[in-house]
Amino acid sequence: MTDGFDDELNRQLASLESQLGSARLPGAAAARQRAARRTRHQVTGGVLGGVAIIAMGVIGITQPTFTTAPAPADTPSDGPTPTVAPTESDASPSPSESDPTDDADDDSADTVAIPPEAFLTVEDIQIEGTDWAEVPAQDSWLPCVPHMPENAEARSFESPAESSGTAVRLDQFIERTAAGQAESRLDDVRRAVTDCADGGTDTSLIEVWSVAGVGDEAYLIALAGPPSTAETDTYVTIGLVRSGDYVMSVFDGGASMDYIGPAPETNTVAAAQRMCEPLGVECPGELEREQLHPEPAGDVEGWLTATDVAEATGLTQITQGSDVTDPTEGGPGGWPYIGLPRDPMADGAESMEHRAYDDPLEPGGATVDETIARFGDEASAREHYDQLVAAANDFQQEGDVITPTGTIDGDGYAGASWRSESSEFGTVFVYGVVVRGSNVAAVSSGVAEITGEQLNDLLDRAAQRLGG
Amino acid sequence: MAGEADFDAFYDATNRRVLHQMYAMTGNLADAQDVTQEAYARAWQRWKTVSQATNPEAWIRTVAWRIAASRWRKAKNGIAALARHGTPDHSPPPNPDHVALVTALKQIPENQRQAIVLHHLVGLSVDDIANETGAPTGTVKARLSRGRSALAELLTDTGIEVTSHTQGGESHD
């Protein structure tokens, strides 16, 4: 290639900066806030920050949960060497402090051996293309595996990095408690795990679910902790099951860039299935999950409800709304979809807030966003709305086909909607705005199945929720 | 908080440059804004270690690129939609040369586009690109060579002057 071409290419690429114009990122504080939302509310993908989960691949442990670490890039890995794998005492609550397992050493506990067939096998956890093997059941390097009492029996498995992209491990424990003690023992183990995840500077509790239909009581917990590298942490899914006088726990995890909730139940159910016949306890049935952490926000006055969204759009899987957040913190604000090219804060809005509505069991799935800008008076809100509608009607983005999908005109409110399709990216966005009193609300979604009529129904409901 | 201050200073010093690079890589300003911001959010989640890396900016660029590439693949598979959040676009009208260049870049394979941008915009050597992308240097050279040839061909019909096409890339090591 000639120097002339290269010089021209260099110049043209450099000059692309002028195309950025006044476009800017929302700011460092917004990035930190986005990260904080991720940690607190990992399971609600696709909220305002555009949480799109990296799917670089799946490591072979539990399918929807982990994303593999990216291929090694020298620069990032020039950072500090990975944290040394914690020993039990490093990462787990000290037995004398928060792990009450000493109590479980009570000699009233039955010390009858757990039959081998009650444990998971390599075949149970084997995923095509991976190479799992049983390893000595001690010194787990997964974070927050509590010390277990002597009468707990264990099995451990690992799949090496060459097989799964990153080393992954599964530890299973089954213990028989003294009669009537299983409930408190399960509580103890659960508290030990969640306290460990919540209490450390390098650990975090991602989510907790209660699960009906497996054992007498069951929980799924997801957490992150060491070993860590510049790009990864160790993410662990924990299943805890109480069944009769038995408490069973499964810890499976490995290094990953991110954790994609919800915590999968696959290995926990398989483990419960394995133990039910040999131990004479109930086998798993139909599962029903309830999210305990982060606690769902519920309905918020002035906002669409999850039921509104499900009824208007037919997306019945949408069952939860997120916390209300401030999208302007640290950034310039603006409506959360680029096709609404006018900043309400620049037009005099006093505040902006945002909620996302989604399916807690499918992060990254169907999401509907609502953002409300509050003005000081009706005239200011109306003026912004009129200018916003005009700007949205004129908005163009290369490769996108934008179509108005109608207007609504109710008692004291008005709205308009659009549909944007990109053949290049294969994406569709539907979005609309409504004004009522001194408030302007925008509703948007990337769900192609939402029709203009459905979106207008949603806008109508949003307007009614806004009140005067 | 010192960590916050460090992160904010790093963000302020680098975000415009990374946004520019991601715009060249993605060809879409809204997408570039979102993947770049997402990469910074991920950096903050593990800032303690990212900040100690030799080149945190390269970490951001690498992660942002992977997010973008992942989204393209998802979009192609029809699995998930790409949310385009960002500041309302008050950009000037597109320069025809920019349109031609961005259009051409989007037509060449992802890995060639990445190599072109890293080399011709970021200014990395072949070895640096190999380090950043994890590809062997020979592969990087091939990607640069093929990418330049493809771009030259695609841009021939535009206003961008292309004097000749030759193979190679070694002179840019």
Short mmCIF file of all heavy atoms in Angstrom, two decimals, chain A residues 90-124:
data_model
loop_
_atom_site.label_atom_id
_atom_site.label_comp_id
_atom_site.label_asym_id
_atom_site.label_seq_id
_atom_site.Cartn_x
_atom_site.Cartn_y
_atom_site.Cartn_z
N ASP A 90 -9.51 -17.71 54.20
CA ASP A 90 -9.43 -16.38 53.62
C ASP A 90 -10.79 -15.88 53.21
O ASP A 90 -11.17 -14.76 53.50
CB ASP A 90 -8.55 -16.42 52.35
CG ASP A 90 -7.10 -16.59 52.70
OD1 ASP A 90 -6.69 -16.12 53.76
OD2 ASP A 90 -6.40 -17.20 51.89
N ALA A 91 -11.49 -16.70 52.51
CA ALA A 91 -12.69 -16.21 51.85
C ALA A 91 -13.96 -16.52 52.59
O ALA A 91 -14.98 -15.94 52.31
CB ALA A 91 -12.78 -16.83 50.44
N SER A 92 -13.89 -17.38 53.48
CA SER A 92 -15.11 -17.78 54.15
C SER A 92 -15.15 -17.18 55.53
O SER A 92 -14.13 -16.88 56.12
CB SER A 92 -15.17 -19.31 54.27
OG SER A 92 -14.93 -19.89 53.03
N PRO A 93 -16.34 -17.01 56.01
CA PRO A 93 -16.44 -16.52 57.37
C PRO A 93 -15.70 -17.46 58.31
O PRO A 93 -15.74 -18.68 58.14
CB PRO A 93 -17.94 -16.55 57.65
CG PRO A 93 -18.58 -16.58 56.30
CD PRO A 93 -17.62 -17.29 55.42
N SER A 94 -15.03 -16.86 59.26
CA SER A 94 -14.32 -17.69 60.22
C SER A 94 -15.32 -18.54 60.98
O SER A 94 -16.37 -18.08 61.39
CB SER A 94 -13.58 -16.78 61.19
OG SER A 94 -13.24 -17.50 62.33
N PRO A 95 -14.98 -19.78 61.20
CA PRO A 95 -15.91 -20.64 61.92
C PRO A 95 -16.25 -20.07 63.29
O PRO A 95 -17.36 -20.23 63.77
CB PRO A 95 -15.15 -21.95 62.07
CG PRO A 95 -14.12 -21.92 61.01
CD PRO A 95 -13.77 -20.49 60.80
N SER A 96 -15.31 -19.39 63.87
CA SER A 96 -15.58 -18.87 65.20
C SER A 96 -16.38 -17.58 65.16
O SER A 96 -16.85 -17.13 66.18
CB SER A 96 -14.27 -18.63 65.94
OG SER A 96 -13.50 -17.69 65.23
N GLU A 97 -16.48 -16.98 63.97
CA GLU A 97 -17.18 -15.71 63.89
C GLU A 97 -18.58 -15.86 63.31
O GLU A 97 -19.57 -15.81 64.01
CB GLU A 97 -16.37 -14.72 63.04
CG GLU A 97 -15.07 -14.34 63.72
CD GLU A 97 -14.18 -13.54 62.80
OE1 GLU A 97 -14.57 -13.32 61.63
OE2 GLU A 97 -13.11 -13.13 63.24
N SER A 98 -18.61 -16.10 62.03
CA SER A 98 -19.94 -16.06 61.44
C SER A 98 -20.42 -17.40 60.90
O SER A 98 -21.55 -17.52 60.49
CB SER A 98 -19.98 -15.02 60.32
OG SER A 98 -19.00 -15.33 59.37
N ASP A 99 -19.54 -18.35 60.84
CA ASP A 99 -20.01 -19.64 60.38
C ASP A 99 -20.35 -20.51 61.57
O ASP A 99 -19.50 -20.82 62.38
CB ASP A 99 -18.94 -20.34 59.53
CG ASP A 99 -19.46 -21.68 59.06
OD1 ASP A 99 -20.61 -21.72 58.61
OD2 ASP A 99 -18.72 -22.66 59.16
N PRO A 100 -21.60 -20.83 61.68
CA PRO A 100 -22.04 -21.53 62.87
C PRO A 100 -21.92 -23.04 62.74
O PRO A 100 -22.59 -23.77 63.46
CB PRO A 100 -23.51 -21.12 62.95
CG PRO A 100 -23.90 -20.93 61.52
CD PRO A 100 -22.67 -20.55 60.77
N THR A 101 -21.07 -23.49 61.84
CA THR A 101 -21.07 -24.92 61.60
C THR A 101 -20.57 -25.73 62.77
O THR A 101 -20.80 -26.93 62.84
CB THR A 101 -20.21 -25.25 60.37
OG1 THR A 101 -18.95 -24.63 60.55
CG2 THR A 101 -20.88 -24.77 59.12
N ASP A 102 -19.88 -25.05 63.68
CA ASP A 102 -19.46 -25.81 64.86
C ASP A 102 -20.65 -26.43 65.56
O ASP A 102 -20.59 -27.51 66.11
CB ASP A 102 -18.71 -24.89 65.84
CG ASP A 102 -17.32 -24.58 65.31
OD1 ASP A 102 -16.93 -25.21 64.31
OD2 ASP A 102 -16.66 -23.71 65.88
N ASP A 103 -21.74 -25.65 65.53
CA ASP A 103 -22.95 -26.16 66.15
C ASP A 103 -23.37 -27.48 65.52
O ASP A 103 -23.91 -28.36 66.16
CB ASP A 103 -24.10 -25.16 66.01
CG ASP A 103 -23.80 -23.89 66.77
OD1 ASP A 103 -22.89 -23.92 67.62
OD2 ASP A 103 -24.47 -22.87 66.49
N ALA A 104 -23.10 -27.55 64.23
CA ALA A 104 -23.55 -28.74 63.52
C ALA A 104 -22.68 -29.94 63.83
O ALA A 104 -22.98 -31.05 63.44
CB ALA A 104 -23.58 -28.48 62.03
N ASP A 105 -21.56 -29.69 64.52
CA ASP A 105 -20.75 -30.83 64.94
C ASP A 105 -21.34 -31.51 66.17
O ASP A 105 -20.80 -32.49 66.66
CB ASP A 105 -19.32 -30.36 65.27
CG ASP A 105 -18.56 -30.03 64.01
OD1 ASP A 105 -18.92 -30.60 62.95
OD2 ASP A 105 -17.65 -29.21 64.06
N ASP A 106 -22.40 -30.93 66.60
CA ASP A 106 -23.12 -31.49 67.74
C ASP A 106 -23.26 -33.01 67.56
O ASP A 106 -23.69 -33.49 66.52
CB ASP A 106 -24.52 -30.83 67.78
CG ASP A 106 -25.34 -31.30 68.94
OD1 ASP A 106 -24.98 -32.32 69.56
OD2 ASP A 106 -26.34 -30.64 69.22
N ASP A 107 -22.88 -33.75 68.55
CA ASP A 107 -22.87 -35.20 68.37
C ASP A 107 -24.27 -35.79 68.31
O ASP A 107 -24.44 -36.98 68.12
CB ASP A 107 -22.05 -35.87 69.48
CG ASP A 107 -22.57 -35.52 70.85
OD1 ASP A 107 -23.69 -34.95 70.94
OD2 ASP A 107 -21.86 -35.78 71.81
N SER A 108 -25.27 -34.91 68.46
CA SER A 108 -26.62 -35.43 68.27
C SER A 108 -26.93 -35.61 66.79
O SER A 108 -27.89 -36.26 66.42
CB SER A 108 -27.65 -34.50 68.90
OG SER A 108 -27.62 -33.25 68.26
N ALA A 109 -26.10 -34.99 65.92
CA ALA A 109 -26.32 -35.18 64.49
C ALA A 109 -25.99 -36.61 64.10
O ALA A 109 -25.05 -37.22 64.61
CB ALA A 109 -25.45 -34.21 63.72
N ASP A 110 -26.77 -37.11 63.21
CA ASP A 110 -26.59 -38.47 62.75
C ASP A 110 -25.31 -38.54 61.94
O ASP A 110 -25.06 -37.74 61.06
CB ASP A 110 -27.79 -38.85 61.88
CG ASP A 110 -27.86 -40.33 61.65
OD1 ASP A 110 -26.80 -40.97 61.63
OD2 ASP A 110 -28.98 -40.83 61.50
N THR A 111 -24.45 -39.47 62.26
CA THR A 111 -23.19 -39.57 61.53
C THR A 111 -23.20 -40.70 60.51
O THR A 111 -22.17 -41.11 60.02
CB THR A 111 -22.03 -39.79 62.51
OG1 THR A 111 -22.33 -40.93 63.31
CG2 THR A 111 -21.85 -38.58 63.39
N VAL A 112 -24.38 -41.18 60.22
CA VAL A 112 -24.49 -42.21 59.20
C VAL A 112 -23.98 -41.67 57.88
O VAL A 112 -24.30 -40.54 57.48
CB VAL A 112 -25.96 -42.68 59.06
CG1 VAL A 112 -26.12 -43.62 57.89
CG2 VAL A 112 -26.42 -43.33 60.35
N ALA A 113 -23.18 -42.42 57.19
CA ALA A 113 -22.58 -41.96 55.94
C ALA A 113 -23.66 -41.70 54.90
O ALA A 113 -24.66 -42.41 54.82
CB ALA A 113 -21.60 -43.00 55.43
N ILE A 114 -23.39 -40.67 54.09
CA ILE A 114 -24.29 -40.37 52.97
C ILE A 114 -23.92 -41.33 51.84
O ILE A 114 -22.75 -41.44 51.48
CB ILE A 114 -24.07 -38.92 52.49
CG1 ILE A 114 -24.17 -37.93 53.67
CG2 ILE A 114 -25.06 -38.58 51.39
CD1 ILE A 114 -25.52 -37.79 54.27
N PRO A 115 -24.88 -42.04 51.30
CA PRO A 115 -24.54 -42.98 50.23
C PRO A 115 -23.97 -42.26 49.01
O PRO A 115 -24.43 -41.17 48.67
CB PRO A 115 -25.88 -43.66 49.91
CG PRO A 115 -26.93 -42.80 50.51
CD PRO A 115 -26.30 -42.07 51.64
N PRO A 116 -22.99 -42.86 48.37
CA PRO A 116 -22.32 -42.19 47.23
C PRO A 116 -23.29 -41.81 46.12
O PRO A 116 -23.10 -40.80 45.45
CB PRO A 116 -21.32 -43.25 46.73
CG PRO A 116 -21.16 -44.19 47.87
CD PRO A 116 -22.41 -44.17 48.67
N GLU A 117 -24.33 -42.62 45.95
CA GLU A 117 -25.25 -42.34 44.84
C GLU A 117 -26.10 -41.10 45.10
O GLU A 117 -26.86 -40.66 44.22
CB GLU A 117 -26.15 -43.55 44.56
CG GLU A 117 -26.96 -44.02 45.74
CD GLU A 117 -26.23 -45.08 46.57
OE1 GLU A 117 -24.99 -45.07 46.57
OE2 GLU A 117 -26.91 -45.90 47.21
N ALA A 118 -25.99 -40.51 46.29
CA ALA A 118 -26.74 -39.28 46.58
C ALA A 118 -26.04 -38.04 46.05
O ALA A 118 -26.60 -36.94 46.09
CB ALA A 118 -26.97 -39.14 48.09
N PHE A 119 -24.82 -38.23 45.55
CA PHE A 119 -24.04 -37.07 45.10
C PHE A 119 -24.07 -36.92 43.57
O PHE A 119 -24.28 -37.90 42.84
CB PHE A 119 -22.58 -37.22 45.55
CG PHE A 119 -22.40 -37.00 47.03
CD1 PHE A 119 -22.51 -38.06 47.91
CD2 PHE A 119 -22.13 -35.73 47.52
CE1 PHE A 119 -22.34 -37.86 49.27
CE2 PHE A 119 -21.97 -35.53 48.88
CZ PHE A 119 -22.08 -36.59 49.76
N LEU A 120 -23.81 -35.72 43.15
CA LEU A 120 -23.67 -35.46 41.72
C LEU A 120 -22.52 -36.30 41.16
O LEU A 120 -21.58 -36.63 41.88
CB LEU A 120 -23.36 -33.98 41.48
CG LEU A 120 -24.52 -32.99 41.64
CD1 LEU A 120 -23.98 -31.56 41.68
CD2 LEU A 120 -25.52 -33.14 40.50
N THR A 121 -22.60 -36.58 39.89
CA THR A 121 -21.52 -37.27 39.20
C THR A 121 -20.97 -36.38 38.10
O THR A 121 -21.58 -35.35 37.75
CB THR A 121 -22.02 -38.57 38.57
OG1 THR A 121 -22.94 -38.23 37.52
CG2 THR A 121 -22.73 -39.45 39.60
N VAL A 122 -19.85 -36.76 37.58
CA VAL A 122 -19.27 -36.02 36.45
C VAL A 122 -20.27 -35.94 35.31
O VAL A 122 -20.44 -34.89 34.67
CB VAL A 122 -17.97 -36.70 35.99
CG1 VAL A 122 -17.53 -36.13 34.63
CG2 VAL A 122 -16.86 -36.51 37.01
N GLU A 123 -20.98 -37.01 35.09
CA GLU A 123 -21.95 -37.05 33.99
C GLU A 123 -23.06 -36.02 34.19
O GLU A 123 -23.59 -35.46 33.23
CB GLU A 123 -22.56 -38.44 33.84
CG GLU A 123 -21.60 -39.50 33.29
CD GLU A 123 -20.52 -39.87 34.30
OE1 GLU A 123 -20.78 -39.83 35.52
OE2 GLU A 123 -19.39 -40.16 33.87
N ASP A 124 -23.42 -35.78 35.45
CA ASP A 124 -24.50 -34.83 35.72
C ASP A 124 -24.13 -33.41 35.29
O ASP A 124 -25.00 -32.62 34.91
CB ASP A 124 -24.84 -34.81 37.22
CG ASP A 124 -25.52 -36.09 37.67
OD1 ASP A 124 -26.21 -36.72 36.84
OD2 ASP A 124 -25.36 -36.46 38.85
#
